[in-house]
Amino acid sequence: MVEGAAVEVYDWLIVGGGIHGTHIAVRLLASSRTQPVAVRIVDPSVTLLRKWRERSASTKMKYLRSPGVHNLATDPFALKTFAGKKSRTKPGIFAQPYARPALELFNRHCDALIADASLGELHIMDTIQSMDLGEDRVQLKTTSGKLLQSKKVVLALGPAEIKKTPSWVTPEMSQVQHLFAAEFDWSEIVKYKSVAIIGGGISAVQAALYAESIGLEVHLLSRHPMRTHMFDSDPGWLGPKFLTQFSREKSYAKRRQWIDRSRYTGSVPPEIHRSLNSRIQSGRIHFRQTEVDCGQQEGVTTQLTLKDRHQIEVDQVILATGFQKARPGGKMIDRLVERYQLPVSVCGFPIVDRQLRWHPRIYVSGSLAELEIGPVAKNIAGARQAAERIESALKN
Ligand SMILES: Cc1cc2nc3c(=O)[nH]c(=O)nc-3n(C[C@H](O)[C@H](O)[C@H](O)COP(=O)(O)OP(=O)(O)OC[C@H]3O[C@@H](n4cnc5c(N)ncnc54)[C@H](O)[C@@H]3O)c2cc1C
C-alpha cells in the first residue's frame, strides 16, 4: 500500500479495487510496458477483490458461472495455462460445459496476477469522497482527508450496495440476515436446525444446497418458478450479434429497456437446477413458489406466514434477494453530475462514448458503463470489454 502523496500526479487513478478495477489496472499496466504509466487503485478494503471474495464465499459457489476465458489476465487463455496441462481431465478444476473454473482456481489466479503486477503496492486504502475536474487533471479527496491528483480517473465502483429487503422485515428481526451482509457467517448458521432462504436465483439456490449439505432443514421460497439458463444473459451480448444493433440505438431509454429484458435475472444453470430438483424430490429441500406475507420473531424462532397460506417456523432466515438497481457512487456521483453537467439517461446512468469516456478525464466500468456495454457490463466479460476500450485511450 502506498500513501498517496498530494504532489504526485498519477496517469490513471482507478476508484474501486474489485473485479473491474483490478482487471483494468492489469490491462493498463500491461499495455504501457514501453512507456510506464503511474497507476493507483483506491479502495477501502485491506486487500483488492475483497467484496468479490466475501460475496462468492457466502454463496458457497464451487464454480463460476462464466467460462475460464473470462478472467482477470490480459490473455483470455491465461487461466487455462495457469491451471496446467492436466486441468481439463482432472476433476474439480473446470466444470463442463464451457470450462467454468473452480472458484478456488479463479481466486488463486487473481492472487498471482495481483502479485505479478505488484498491485498491492499501487493500492491506496481509502474511499474517494469527492472529485473536481480541472483543465489537465482530476483532484480527488478521500474520506481520510488525503488529496490525490490524476490525469485520468476510472470509476469502477461496483453495485450501489443497497440490498433488496422485503417489506415484512423489521430491524428487530435479528434472525433475518442478508446473504451479502458483511456480518453474514455460515459458521454461526451451522449451529441452527432450520433455515428459510428467500430468493430464486443462483445465489439462493447455491446457499440452499450448501445449507442442506451441512444438515439443516431447508425451506427455499421463490416468488417465481425455477428458471434455467446457462449464463445470466445470452452469449450473443459478448460480440457483434447483439452489440452492433445495441450500439446503433440512439435512444438510451430503449437501450435500458433492452438491457432489462435481456438479463436472465433469478435464473440458475442446468446442473444447479438438477441438483436442486433431486433434493426437492427426495424431500431434503422444501421448495415453495410463493412470497412471505408477514414474519414474526419470537426468541430465536422466526415464524413466516406465506402468501400461499402456509406457515413455517425456522431458526434463521437468509435473504438472497440481491441488490437494488440503482446508480452506484451516491453523493460523489450526484455531485459530479450536477457540478459538471455530465450526461445521464432518464435512468440516471452515464451516457458515455465508445471508449467509455464520460468526460475527457473520467472513464467508467461496471454498471456505470451499462448503456454502452450492454447486459454483461457488470460481469467479468464486461470488465474485459471495458478494459479493452479504456486501454485504447492510451493510444490517443
Ligand atoms: C456471488 C456472485 C457470483 C458471481 N459470479 C460471476 C461469474 O461467475 N461470472 C461473472 O462474469 N460474473 C459473476 N458475478 C458478477 C460480477 O463479476 C461481480 O459482481 C463483480 O465482482 C463486480 O465487480 P466490481 O469491481 O464491479 O464490483 P465490486 O467487487 O463490488 O468492487 C467495487 C469496489 O469499489 C469500491 N468502491 C466503491 N466506491 C468507492 C469509492 N468512492 N472510493 C473507493 N472505493 C470505492 C468498493 O468498496 C469495492 O471494493 C458474480 C457476482 C456475485 C455476487
Side-chain angles (χ1 to χ4, degrees):
M1 194 185 76
V2 284
E3 290 299 312
V7 285
E8 188 175 355
V9 182
Y10 307 122
D11 293 307
W12 290 91
L13 193 138
I14 301 166
V15 187
I19 291 280
H20 284 248
T22 303
H23 176 62
I24 291 164
V26 165
R27 178 85 68 153
L28 288 176
L29 289 166
S31 64
S32 63
R33 286 234 165 93
T34 47
Q35 200 190 350
V37 288
V39 175
R40 293 292 183 275
I41 306 168
V42 183
D43 190 292
S45 300
V46 181
T47 53
L48 299 174
L49 301 179
R50 184 68 175 256
K51 294 259 160 94
W52 160 258
R53 283 175 199 277
E54 283 173 2
R55 293 180 200 136
S56 54
S58 290
T59 62
K60 293 287 176 183
M61 60 195 260
K62 292 195 181 105
Y63 296 94
L64 270 75
R65 191 175 190 173
S66 51
V69 286
H70 299 174
N71 65 75
L72 302 199
T74 311
D75 170 11
F77 299 104
L79 176 58
K80 196 175 155 206
T81 310
F82 178 80
K85 275 193 181 143
K86 292 183 183 150
S87 61
R88 278 248 158 190
T89 46
K90 248 187 180 173
I93 298 184
F94 287 101
Q96 301 301 344
Y98 301 106
R100 288 159 294 133
L103 178 63
E104 186 276 330
L105 168 70
F106 180 84
N107 284 343
R108 216 159 19 88
H109 183 233
C110 291
D111 286 342
L113 291 172
I114 289 170
D116 281 356
S118 304
L119 291 190
E121 291 166 27
L122 308 181
H123 173 196
I124 300 171
M125 205 174 86
D126 216 326
T127 302
I128 299 297
Q129 192 175 43
S130 63
M131 50 184 104
D132 283 295
L133 313 182
E135 276 286 292
D136 60 347
R137 68 191 66 175
V138 182
Q139 310 225 30
L140 304 102
K141 197 172 159 198
T142 73
T143 46
S144 75
K146 282 193 200 96
L147 291 173
L148 306 170
Q149 301 191 39
S150 184
K151 291 180 194 158
K152 287 175 178 166
V153 168
V154 180
L155 299 171
L157 310 176
E161 294 207 48
I162 310 165
K163 295 176 188 78
K164 275 190 205 156
T165 305
S167 55
W168 55 267
V169 179
T170 62
E172 294 74 43
M173 292 181 172
S174 56
Q175 299 305 111
V176 180
Q177 263 197 325
H178 201 286
L179 185 65
F180 294 150
E183 55 284 359
F184 183 83
D185 185 1
W186 279 107
S187 65
E188 285 299 312
I189 291 165
V190 72
K191 296 174 190 160
Y192 299 122
K193 286 204 176 85
S194 57
V195 67
I197 296 171
I198 316 289
I202 184 167
S203 297
V205 176
Q206 283 170 321
L209 292 170
Y210 176 71
E212 186 273 330
S213 76
I214 56 173
L216 295 173
E217 178 190 316
V218 182
H219 298 266
L220 177 63
L221 307 176
S222 165
R223 61 181 171 191
H224 56 76
M226 280 299 131
R227 301 170 181 145
T228 311
H229 289 285
M230 191 69 220
F231 303 116
D232 54 12
S233 58
D234 190 296
W237 283 105
L238 297 170
K241 185 174 172 196
F242 295 142
L243 274 181
T244 306
Q245 213 187 331
F246 182 76
S247 310
R248 280 195 200 126
E249 177 57 67
K250 297 265 185 306
S251 157
Y252 288 93
K254 282 198 183 142
R255 287 195 193 192
R256 170 58 65 197
Q257 281 173 5
W258 216 353
I259 293 168
D260 290 345
R261 274 202 311 264
S262 306
R263 279 212 192 98
Y264 302 142
T265 41
S267 68
V268 294
E271 88 276 9
I272 293 184
H273 195 177
R274 278 195 295 275
S275 300
L276 176 68
N277 267 347
S278 83
R279 277 147 187 96
I280 294 172
Q281 275 154 22
S282 59
R284 279 142 65 202
I285 291 181
H286 308 285
F287 174 77
R288 302 200 91 86
Q289 190 192 320
T290 184
E291 283 179 73
V292 175
D293 199 21
C294 59
Q296 207 177 359
Q297 191 179 318
E298 275 177 32
V300 289
T301 304
T302 305
Q303 200 173 71
L304 300 177
T305 306
L306 310 179
K307 287 199 174 155
D308 67 4
R309 298 192 184 166
H310 276 87
Q311 277 201 334
I312 55 172
E313 259 187 21
V314 288
D315 301 324
Q316 179 73 37
V317 179
I318 299 173
L319 305 175
T321 39
F323 295 109
Q324 286 178 25
K325 279 185 207 159
R327 185 176 73 196
K331 286 189 185 143
M332 177 185 73
I333 296 292
D334 296 348
R335 181 177 173 274
L336 211 53
V337 170
E338 276 164 35
R339 183 148 185 193
Y340 298 99
Q341 300 291 299
L342 300 189
V344 291
S345 176
V346 279
C347 60
F349 280 67
I351 295 176
V352 296
D353 68 10
R354 256 199 82 72
Q355 286 181 319
L356 307 183
R357 242 181 323 217
W358 200 11
H359 171 275
R361 307 204 165 273
I362 304 283
Y363 294 74
V364 297
S365 184
S367 65
L368 290 177
E370 264 176 340
L371 294 177
E372 193 57 38
I373 301 266
V376 305
K378 294 188 276 195
N379 290 359
I380 302 162
R384 297 187 66 83
Q385 288 191 25
E388 235 170 71
R389 294 190 190 199
I390 294 170
E391 183 193 2
S392 64
L394 270 180
K395 292 160 196 149
N396 294 343

